[in-house]
Amino acid sequence: MTNWKLIFCSLCLISVMSASFGLEVKMSQATVEVARGDDVTLTCNFKPKSPTNDLIVITWTGDADETSGEKVIFGNYYSYGKVDIGPDYQGKAVIETDLDAKTSKLTLKQVTLKESRRIRCFVQIPGDIEGKTADTTFLLVQVAPSQPLCKVVGTAEYGHNISLTCVSEEGSPTPTYKWERYNVKNVPQAFPLKTTEKDGVLSLVNVSMETSGYYICLSSNKVGSAKCNMTLSVMPSSMNLATIGIVSGCIAGVTVLIIVIICCYRKRKQKQKQKPKDYEMENPMVEYHDNPPLENTEDGNTDIMVITEEGTDKACIDDLKNHFDYRRGSRDDLNQGGRDDLRDRDDDRRGSRDELKDRYDDRRGSRDELRDRDDDRRGSRDELKDRYDDRRGSRDELRDRYDERRGSRDDLRDRYDDQRDRYR
């Protein structure tokens, strides 16, 4: 036991002796708190090994923080009276050093969150490199929490798990969050079972209609507080994928059917627009031809008339159709007997044939009228030809007059030349 005490005392003596023979730097405060926008002064005390030194350099810096990860340089002090301030802190940082009192002070004006970090004082003396050459203090810039942002993460439907988040972008020290729940009558209510709350995240499990309500999040620190609120409405579950697929298929089928109907309607309409005008009834052009007489095998009559028409003469078609029906009926009656009736019908057919002959004579007369009209038109053409010859003759007369005038111009030109020669 005695040996252990002796060893411990020896180590303490060695550490004291080394300290008395080396540089010692110490900050006056381990932690300094200040509100944002205020001024703060940090004091660094140093004790060199030798009371007199040719050069002393004191450097004030800020260690890299967790947010930006960048180091900050406030400035340097040199014992021969020169002070260098960092470019970012010109007019904002002041370094004052008293070599007799062995102290150096750093004053920061209107501090911001950028200065909220660990501030380091580093003393350099040539030949005095042993001992403690630097010390730090933590500068905490206090900022009240900013307005937090509340939102829902997940689907607020029956049976789902969702989370309510609450975050303030600013706040120093780091804000703490607390959720509260109220009903429609603004009466506080307890959270549902299995609800957890951590770092501003409120986790709700197996939500239902009872989970709906009015939620408030309070963000606070030692400087101040702020809050946000939201209304949570839990709705029934939406349709499953099978139902959605069936409904989508029905909608797609109806859409295709409508498109097909529209296309067919448009195609039909276009065909009607493009239908040729051949179906329109026009005045038919009828030609009549005299064919050689045909023998009538039934009664020996040689009165034959053949009518050939180009077009659609409805009256003649009806007469021929009736004629065909009569003959067809006569054949039926012939099979049954009754030649006397057949002879009477044949007389009727002869009468109808006489009527057709009369019609043919009338049409032949109309053809003569058309021929007369054509002769009249030919006569009018001859008259137009005579008028053209008259106009042509008038053109010859105008040409003769033009030649006479041209000749008179030549006479005047000759006279002008004669007078010009006289005056010369």
Side-chain angles (χ1 to χ4, degrees), residues 276-285 311-315 317:
K277 297 182 179 180
D278 296 340
Y279 298 97
E280 297 181 0
M281 297 298 295
E282 297 179 354
N283 294 328
M285 296 180 65
T312 57
D313 192 342
K314 191 173 181 180
I317 291 173

Side-chain angles (χ1 to χ4, degrees), residues 213-262:
Y214 191 65
Y215 290 79
I216 297 176
C217 174
L218 180 66
S219 174
S220 61
N221 59 12
K222 62 174 63 178
V223 183
S225 63
K227 63 182 179 180
C228 65
N229 53 72
M230 62 180 300
T231 301
L232 178 63
S233 299
V234 181
M235 305 300 292
S237 300
S238 58
M239 295 183 296
N240 55 25
L241 295 177
T243 306
I244 294 174
I246 294 172
V247 174
S248 301
C250 293
I251 293 173
V254 173
T255 304
V256 172
L257 182 61
I258 292 172
I259 293 172
V260 170
I261 293 173
I262 293 173

Side-chain angles (χ1 to χ4, degrees), residues 182-187 189 213-214:
Y182 295 85
N183 61 9
V184 180
K185 298 181 180 180
N186 203 21
V187 177
Q189 286 185 327
Y214 191 65

